[in-house]
Amino acid sequence: MEPQQDAPDTASTAPTEPPAEVGEEVVGSYLDVDPAAASEGAPADAVPTEPVEGAFVIGDRVQLTDPKGNMHTVVLEPGKQFHTHRGAIEHDSLIGAPEGSVVHSTNNTGYLAFRPLLADFVLSMPRGAQVIYPKDAAQIVGFGDIGPGMRVLEAGAGSGALSCSLLRAVGTGGTLTSYERREDFADVARGNVAAFLGEVPGNWSLRLGDLDQHPAEETVDRVVLDMLEPWLVLPTVAAALRPGGVLVGYVATVTQLSTYVEALRAQGVWTEPHAWETLLRPWHAVGLAVRPEHRMVAHTAFLVTCRRLAEGAVAPLRARKARRI
């Protein structure tokens, strides 16, 4: 929805602006007033200010949050309105306003206006396949040690949620190659990445097909597998991932986890797999009423990381404590 922004005082008091009629809506134009003229009570020349740093522009995606915390997303277009049960919000009242403004609907309900964070965008984006939640995407980037300039291989692309995080992480100097078996999912992923980043990046290759088609000569630094049966592509992954590179697996069920981890061990070219899950529990903290929230984001998937050994290297056997009988 589009909130309507209150006019700045400088705009409403500048003598060059005609007084508004009773009941007329006043929309600020962000004007500068000459301080010397204003101090003498003389008419001040109103001149346009420099654009506010980070101000909303036409085509921006804006997230509006109402007093109850409900979020709405709009794409700014001149002359348009965003309608809610709390009244309409003019797009024009947002265009030119700084991020972090409060805008008001026609029934005077205030809305916070920000550009959506990636985590917000992911939870509201159109979906083909189920998205990888922000809590898992953050750990994939962090524990996968994915950074600027790296070459990353991803399967499958799904709805493009993780692709957005990976493209941000590798920057313009890195590359991302994503495989997706379903054309409809690939279309959704392409649209979501373009919507969030403003375009389809030139360093992103979205390929329709199976990852086992990936040529071994296209060496990569990191691999992320979000597949039903990731163990089937391990020979292809091992051939393409450079020694020392990190493999991250994302699997949903205990049976998948068991099969995948044992397949990694059996292949003999990986370090000992490390598997975990993350449960995200928010807290209610208002005054002395501090307690866990009643709802939480519990199990979404298991993450598994390991590293590629050098060709011909055999990892020492992991020492394990003997069980006492």
Side-chain angles (χ1 to χ4, degrees):
M1 12 167 132
E2 294 205 2
Q4 170 182 1
Q5 173 149 0
D6 291 337
D9 290 340
T10 55
S12 59
T13 58
T16 54
E17 291 291 312
E21 298 295 333
V22 175
E24 178 183 346
E25 180 183 358
V26 179
V27 178
S29 54
Y30 295 93
L31 303 177
D32 277 336
V33 177
D34 177 37
S39 65
E40 296 172 4
D45 292 331
V47 294
T49 64
E50 292 297 320
V52 178
E53 183 178 0
F56 296 122
V57 298
I58 295 170
D60 267 355
R61 187 176 296 270
V62 180
Q63 179 176 279
L64 303 173
T65 307
D66 69 17
K68 289 187 176 181
N70 299 314
M71 296 180 182
H72 313 272
T73 303
V74 298
V75 177
L76 297 182
E77 296 181 54
K80 291 291 186 73
Q81 288 184 328
F82 179 72
H83 293 272
T84 76
H85 67 286
R86 296 173 181 269
I89 297 171
E90 300 284 345
H91 285 220
D92 291 341
S93 65
L94 282 166
I95 297 171
E99 189 174 8
S101 297
V102 176
V103 294
H104 292 82
S105 65
T106 50
N107 74 350
N108 206 34
T109 299
Y111 287 79
L112 283 170
F114 287 96
R115 290 183 179 87
L117 302 176
L118 178 54
D120 301 323
F121 178 76
V122 164
L123 295 178
S124 64
M125 64 164 52
R127 299 185 183 186
Q130 173 65 36
V131 299
I132 290 182
Y133 274 73
K135 73 180 182 70
D136 295 321
Q139 293 188 79
I140 288 171
V141 172
F143 286 95
D145 196 44
I146 299 170
M150 289 187 173
R151 302 159 297 176
V152 179
L153 181 60
E154 173 195 22
S159 296
L162 182 60
S163 301
C164 288
S165 292
L166 296 176
L167 286 165
R168 262 192 171 182
V170 301
T172 56
T175 62
L176 173 64
T177 302
S178 304
Y179 284 87
E180 175 53 55
R181 298 174 61 183
R182 291 183 51 169
E183 187 172 3
D184 54 338
F185 287 178
D187 290 340
V188 172
R190 188 180 295 105
N192 284 333
V193 169
F196 184 74
L197 298 179
E199 62 179 356
V200 176
N203 62 338
W204 183 37
S205 175
L206 178 56
R207 302 176 181 178
L208 191 61
D210 293 315
L211 182 135
D212 60 11
Q213 302 168 1
H214 185 79
E217 59 271 17
E218 290 186 22
T219 306
V220 295
D221 304 296
R222 302 289 186 265
V223 177
V224 182
L225 300 179
D226 173 19
M227 305 170 58
L228 186 62
E229 298 176 314
W231 48 89
L232 297 181
V233 297
L234 288 180
T236 302
V237 171
L241 186 60
R242 67 164 176 81
V246 180
L247 169 61
V248 184
Y250 177 97
V251 292
T253 70
V254 172
T255 52
Q256 284 177 301
L257 175 63
S258 175
T259 303
Y260 178 57
V261 168
E262 292 308 318
L264 289 168
R265 292 186 176 123
Q267 195 176 12
V269 299
W270 307 101
T271 58
E272 177 66 13
H274 173 59
W276 76 97
E277 67 171 336
T278 301
L279 312 180
L280 181 63
R281 184 173 71 175
W283 279 64
H284 172 89
V286 178
L288 296 179
V290 180
R291 56 167 175 74
E293 291 284 6
H294 298 305
R295 295 186 177 185
M296 63 182 290
V297 181
H299 175 77
T300 49
F302 299 103
L303 294 176
V304 183
T305 55
C306 57
R307 302 187 70 178
R308 179 69 162 93
L309 297 173
E311 200 63 39
V314 177
L317 292 176
R318 178 66 63 93
R320 302 183 187 277
K321 291 183 179 179
R323 290 186 177 181
R324 295 182 179 179
I325 299 177

